[in-house]
Each structure stands twice: as structure tokens, then as C-alpha cells.
Amino acid sequence: MNDMIMGTANLPSASPAAGKPIAQPGKLKAVNLSFYYGAYQALHEITLEVPANRITALIGPSGCGKSTFLRTLNRISETIRDTRVEGQVLLDGEDVLQVDVTALRRRVGMVFQKSNPFPKSIFDNVAYGLKVNGFTGALKDAVEHSLKRAALWEEVKDKLHKSAYALSGGQQQRLCIARALAVDPEVLLLDEPCSALDPIATAKIEDLLFTLKDQCTILIVTHNMQQAARVADGTGFFLLGKLIEYNTTEIIFKNPAKQETEDYITGRFG
């Protein structure tokens, strides 16, 4: 697996102490972030700084808080009743809990584990966010641009007005990415985007992430450690709602500082 790990020479170093911010200011930063479902505490004082224009992966066993953490970053978690957040999430230094949620979600897009195209045409799926946000330019050109960014244009350019449900699972997931990209987000959150895809479709999504990271900051939750090793510049390990360790992907996989991380990476538990 190590020969698949990306070079990380330009990624700022992280302290081996779990949750300590990296030295260089990041695009997105959680500070002492805790999250509660009713009385149950799902996240425990998470501090993590996500570098701009890098791919950051979050790994860990099921139920450890990775997806919950991701959903707090653009406040999707607020759609769940009887929940509360403590601490801060900063986007370019601004507390996202204090800004307009619609404007926040334009800047921080999200793609979910199960592809969820709207019951509309391929064109209308991508155009939806643009219309909602009052886009006044050439809609056709904007849709084409987004589909090209999602590496889907060549496959769908002759069937834009057919149902999105006619696409394969991998194509539907890239369509959802195109829909998220249409409003030109600064950050893209992906929650297990390849879990239901075959290896060929997964490879296409991974190739897409490499092309996108020059244009936006990417944070991906994955159970697939090989995937984290292939695509991520930095990796964080979650366990029982806590961030155990965060560092460059190379260090996390080759020389983790925490025994829990090593046990998970080597398959001793999880």
C-alpha cells in the first residue's frame, strides 16, 4: 500500500498530539468541536485544521463520528432534531455557526454516500443549484462546465434531457459531484462517495478528486484505507467520537504516533 501513497512534501506537518492544529493556517478549521444527539455525545472536542487545496481523509471504524463531523462543517447536522453543537467551525477564520446557512452551503458543498440525483433530467440536476442561487449567465454553458469538471460530459452530452436515473451508479455519483460543483464551492465534503461503486467507477472518482483539488479543498470520509492512502495528502483517525491522530498520510500509514492508530491500520481491530 505504501507505494500508492501520494507525495506529501508540501503539506504542513502536524503534531503527533491528537487534535493539535497544524502549523499553517487552513481553509477550514474545527476548534474544540463537540456534537450531541440528545444526551449522547457523538463528538468530543475535535480540533482539526484542513489545508486549502489538499485532500484530507478521515478514517476509522463505523460509528466513530467521521460522518457526524463532516456534517457539522456545513451545518447539515442541524436538520436532525434534538441535536446541538459546542465549539467552533471556522471557514477562512469566520465562524460558520454565525453565518447564513444558505450562503455557507454554497461555499461548502457535500456529496453523500448514496448517490441522490433528483427525479429530473441530467441537465436539470446540474442546473438546479444555479437556478436556486439566482444564476443569470448562460445556463447551458454553466451546466457543460460543471459536467466537464466532474469528468462526465463526454458520457452524457448526447442525453442531457434524459432522466438522471438512467445513469449507472458511478455516473450518478459523478452527477451529484457535478451538481455540487455547479455553484463553485470552496470546499467539497464527500461522505463515503465510493462505498457502493465497483473498482472502475471508484477509480474514476479518485482520478476526479486529483483534478479538483487545485480548484477546491476536499475532505473525504472513507472506510477504505487503500483509498485514503491513494488519494489523501493528510489523514485523520477517528475512534469513539475522538480524533486520535492527524498527520500526513505517509506518516499515518507508515509511522503512526498512537497505538490505537497502528492497531486499526494493521487490522488488529476495527
Side-chain angles (χ1 to χ4, degrees):
M1 183 184 348
N2 290 336
D3 61 348
M4 295 184 291
I5 296 175
M6 291 179 55
T8 53
N10 295 323
L11 188 72
S13 298
S15 166
K20 187 173 182 180
I22 56 178
Q24 180 177 312
K27 179 71 177 178
L28 191 64
K29 182 178 180 181
V31 183
N32 296 326
L33 185 69
S34 295
F35 186 83
Y36 297 81
Y37 294 100
Y40 172 70
Q41 185 171 0
L43 296 177
H44 298 262
E45 297 184 349
I46 306 294
T47 294
L48 176 64
E49 198 160 352
V50 180
N53 300 110
R54 294 288 188 272
I55 300 174
T56 299
L58 304 179
I59 63 172
S62 297
C64 67
K66 305 183 303 294
S67 294
T68 296
F69 175 73
L70 205 68
R71 289 171 179 155
T72 63
L73 300 179
N74 72 343
R75 295 170 57 183
I76 290 288
S77 56
E78 292 181 4
T79 61
I80 304 170
R81 294 182 59 186
D82 196 24
T83 61
R84 77 178 193 277
V85 177
E86 295 177 357
Q88 288 183 306
V89 176
L90 305 175
L91 178 62
D92 289 332
E94 185 177 15
D95 189 347
V96 304
L97 299 176
Q98 306 300 321
V99 303
D100 175 73
V101 70
T102 302
L104 171 66
R105 291 176 187 159
R106 280 199 298 267
R107 298 177 66 191
V108 183
M110 187 158 187
V111 176
F112 296 94
Q113 178 175 2
K114 187 178 186 301
S115 58
N116 60 338
F118 299 145
K120 300 173 180 288
S121 70
I122 294 167
F123 183 94
D124 286 339
N125 263 269
V126 181
Y128 178 82
L130 294 166
K131 291 176 180 177
V132 166
N133 287 291
F135 180 75
T136 57
L139 202 58
K140 180 176 178 294
D141 292 342
V143 169
E144 179 178 341
H145 177 64
S146 296
L147 288 168
K148 284 181 175 177
R149 289 180 73 190
L152 190 58
W153 173 252
E154 292 300 325
E155 297 167 49
V156 303
K157 63 183 180 182
D158 297 323
K159 47 186 176 184
L160 293 176
H161 298 289
K162 293 186 177 180
S163 171
Y165 292 153
L167 298 176
S168 69
Q171 288 174 326
Q172 287 188 17
Q173 193 64 292
R174 279 183 285 147
L175 178 65
C176 293
I177 293 174
R179 188 174 67 198
L181 292 173
V183 295
D184 203 23
E186 300 165 37
V187 179
L188 187 61
L189 310 175
L190 301 109
D191 189 3
E192 292 278 358
C194 303
S195 64
L197 304 183
D198 61 56
I200 293 174
T202 294
K204 289 184 177 181
I205 297 287
E206 291 178 1
D207 288 344
L208 171 58
L209 298 184
F210 286 122
T211 66
L212 290 176
K213 76 171 184 175
D214 288 336
Q215 306 160 41
C216 63
T217 299
I218 297 172
L219 189 61
I220 179 171
V221 163
T222 180
H223 278 103
N224 186 328
M225 287 187 286
Q226 288 86 354
Q227 181 173 70
R230 286 193 296 266
V231 306
D233 300 288
T235 297
F237 171 58
F238 275 67
L239 183 65
L240 299 176
K242 298 178 181 179
L243 177 62
I244 302 300
E245 185 173 358
Y246 171 76
N247 216 313
T248 66
T249 297
E250 185 172 20
I251 289 176
I252 289 293
F253 281 92
K254 287 183 178 179
N255 190 31
K258 302 289 183 177
Q259 186 64 47
E260 299 98 319
T261 310
E262 183 174 348
D263 288 347
Y264 184 73
I265 295 292
T266 58
R268 293 195 184 103
F269 79 92

